Amino acid sequence: MGTRGWHECHSSKREGRGEQISARRREEAAQVLALFQSRGLQEKKLPQRFSGDIWDHARCTLTRANMLTLPFEESRVMCEPRFGANYPRESLPESLEQGRQRNPERSNPDMREVEDDISEREEEDDREDDQDEDGLPKKRGPRKKKPGKEQNDRAKLRRQEANARERSRMHGLNAALESLRKVVPCYSKTQKLSKIETLRLAKNYIWALSETLSAGKRPDLLAFVQTLCKGLSQPTTNLVAGCLQLNARNFLTDHNGEVMFSSRSTYEAMYPYPGSDMSSPPGHSGGGLDTGAKPFRHYGYSGAYEPYFENPSPESGSPHFDGQMSPPMNFNGIFSLKHDEPPEYGKGGHYGVRYCGAPGRAALAHNSMYRVSPEARFPYDLHVRSQSFQAQGEVNGSFHN
DNA sequence: TAGGCCATCTGGTCCT
DNA sequence: AGGACCAGATGGCCTA
């Protein structure tokens, strides 16, 4: 780890010997501070790995001086982020020792040299600081014991446990992401969407479904897919288009990666948003996931039109829900996540764009109500259910399958 | 070979 | 004190 040596070198402990710093050393620290400032260098810009006598000298001296012994006002400059105050103030030899244990073959010879130098001076200071100006032994508080082998082993063990927990946590996160991959309209076991693309596509999907629900009309399929692909990378756009058996040439991608269509967005035409960009999912001004996205509109469930789609992925065949996760629903303008619905919830419901040639297409052909305009020449049908939902629960159900 | 993506390790911070 | 969460660093793998 690149910054480790730097961090370790700059972690010093307030307790123990650090309290007694000689005036000479404090003065030395002030000189180094001045040196930094005279060079117009800020601690933030200090190189993580540096060599050279100036830096080594400064670094060692600052460490030895223990910034906390300075009045706060003076030491503030050193206590900015990543430079002292926010770091655990372990004594230098301890941290160095731990660092060596973690990384026995530290490659940076400069750092090793400096550390050795520091150690030598540390010993020297121990001797020097044993006596005060009158040569009398100084009174000291209880000296912090160096960690023994047992403590080091314990620290190691705890670190390993923390690593295992972190691994497990990340695995859980990845599992959740995998679940998400399976419910967005493009799922392939062979060509997985990247994490970021999965999140983007999911966001677009939610947005598109919300728009469909709020509009209470049949969605324009092309615009629906366009919305899905907003902000996605070109490869992912191609992948989604491929999953939907679309020809990616139907899309024009501008230099920002935004998916454009050659004519006015029919989606926009269908769902005019007064004062807002209907065709853009929130957070696409910059082409990525943005945290400052405009909030979802409050939609009222119209009840007049309830499209429900079937999983479009040719590979998956049918929507793959693991029964734990559910797409967000929009009831009376409130988005909610339902996690505990039974797997058979909404049995028989379909959502998604039915892939032509996929099993079951013929079965649904009879109730195919929506066909893409010939100009799009999409080889699939978008199926909508003929009957209206009777209750919100039914709406929910259709999305849960 | 550069760049993207990912897993893992690690230390810091916050919370219980 | 310990766990969860987070972000930086690093190295491996893959692909254009």
Side-chain angles (χ1 to χ4, degrees), chain A residues 153-210:
Chain A
D153 288 347
R154 180 170 161 72
K156 259 186 197 171
L157 184 65
R158 283 187 55 197
R159 187 63 258 175
Q160 285 173 353
E161 287 170 351
N163 289 346
R165 280 194 305 271
E166 178 66 8
R167 261 197 312 274
S168 161
R169 194 181 70 85
M170 294 309 295
H171 288 167
L173 202 58
N174 290 338
L177 207 57
E178 186 59 29
S179 300
L180 188 60
R181 279 193 187 101
K182 290 174 180 173
V183 299
V184 293
C186 179
Y187 175 65
S188 166
K189 281 180 181 174
T190 53
Q191 193 178 355
K192 284 200 324 186
L193 287 176
S194 71
K195 292 179 176 181
I196 184 70
E197 295 291 82
T198 300
L199 292 175
R200 284 175 179 150
L201 181 57
K203 183 186 70 173
N204 292 351
Y205 190 38
I206 292 169
W207 178 260
L209 291 177
S210 304

Side-chain angles (χ1 to χ4, degrees), chain A residues 78-324:
Chain A
M78 299 308 219
C79 294
E80 294 293 326
R82 307 226 142 218
F83 202 89
N86 292 334
Y87 278 81
R89 305 190 179 284
E90 300 170 50
S91 68
L92 186 61
E94 286 176 24
S95 55
L96 284 179
E97 183 59 30
Q98 287 170 1
R100 286 196 175 111
Q101 285 176 358
R102 273 199 304 269
N103 192 3
E105 66 279 334
R106 181 174 297 164
S107 56
N108 189 339
D110 290 330
M111 298 296 276
R112 254 201 311 271
E113 258 179 48
V114 171
E115 286 155 9
D116 292 343
D117 182 45
I118 291 171
S119 297
E120 281 172 23
R121 296 181 64 172
E122 190 84 34
E123 286 170 15
E124 190 183 318
D125 286 341
D126 282 350
R127 290 189 297 271
E128 176 184 309
D129 293 343
D130 276 345
Q131 297 179 343
D132 62 12
E133 297 87 337
D134 301 328
L136 297 172
K138 277 185 179 176
K139 287 181 182 176
R140 287 182 172 176
R143 207 162 180 169
K144 186 122 182 176
K145 280 179 87 176
K146 288 184 180 178
K149 186 175 182 301
E150 205 172 302
Q151 285 164 300
N152 281 335
D153 288 347
R154 180 170 161 72
K156 259 186 197 171
L157 184 65
R158 283 187 55 197
R159 187 63 258 175
Q160 285 173 353
E161 287 170 351
N163 289 346
R165 280 194 305 271
E166 178 66 8
R167 261 197 312 274
S168 161
R169 194 181 70 85
M170 294 309 295
H171 288 167
L173 202 58
N174 290 338
L177 207 57
E178 186 59 29
S179 300
L180 188 60
R181 279 193 187 101
K182 290 174 180 173
V183 299
V184 293
C186 179
Y187 175 65
S188 166
K189 281 180 181 174
T190 53
Q191 193 178 355
K192 284 200 324 186
L193 287 176
S194 71
K195 292 179 176 181
I196 184 70
E197 295 291 82
T198 300
L199 292 175
R200 284 175 179 150
L201 181 57
K203 183 186 70 173
N204 292 351
Y205 190 38
I206 292 169
W207 178 260
L209 291 177
S210 304
E211 293 301 322
T212 299
L213 276 181
S214 65
K217 287 193 276 184
R218 293 175 183 175
D220 178 276
L221 185 58
L222 177 59
F224 189 87
V225 180
Q226 274 185 262
T227 305
L228 285 184
C229 294
K230 282 266 179 183
L232 300 182
S233 67
Q234 189 61 55
T236 308
T237 299
N238 292 340
L239 183 62
V240 172
C243 279
L244 299 177
Q245 290 290 290
L246 289 177
N247 188 333
R249 283 172 299 181
N250 286 320
F251 298 96
L252 296 180
T253 305
D254 68 10
H255 61 281
N256 289 325
E258 291 286 315
V259 176
M260 312 289 284
F261 194 63
S262 52
S263 60
R264 181 170 174 261
S265 165
T266 46
Y267 199 58
E268 196 175 342
M270 279 183 64
Y271 312 111
Y273 256 43
S276 69
D277 179 11
M278 251 295 283
S279 61
S280 292
H284 275 297
S285 54
L289 285 172
D290 71 351
T291 50
K294 68 179 177 185
F296 274 103
R297 239 170 23 122
H298 275 212
Y299 305 118
Y301 172 59
S302 70
Y305 175 70
E306 305 82 15
Y308 65 116
F309 311 105
E310 194 163 71
N311 191 310
S313 169
E315 281 188 50
S316 53
S318 62
H320 183 121
F321 261 103
D322 55 12
Q324 300 302 311

Side-chain angles (χ1 to χ4, degrees), chain A residues 319-371:
Chain A
H320 183 121
F321 261 103
D322 55 12
Q324 300 302 311
M325 298 292 293
S326 302
M329 287 306 300
N330 173 11
F331 287 152
N332 302 319
I334 300 172
F335 275 88
S336 63
L337 278 167
K338 301 178 75 64
H339 295 276
D340 47 4
E341 299 294 338
E344 60 275 357
Y345 195 101
K347 194 176 280 181
H350 305 282
Y351 73 97
V353 180
R354 177 161 281 277
Y355 168 65
C356 268
R361 178 176 181 245
L364 281 179
H366 67 279
N367 68 349
S368 172
M369 295 176 60
Y370 183 76
R371 285 191 178 275

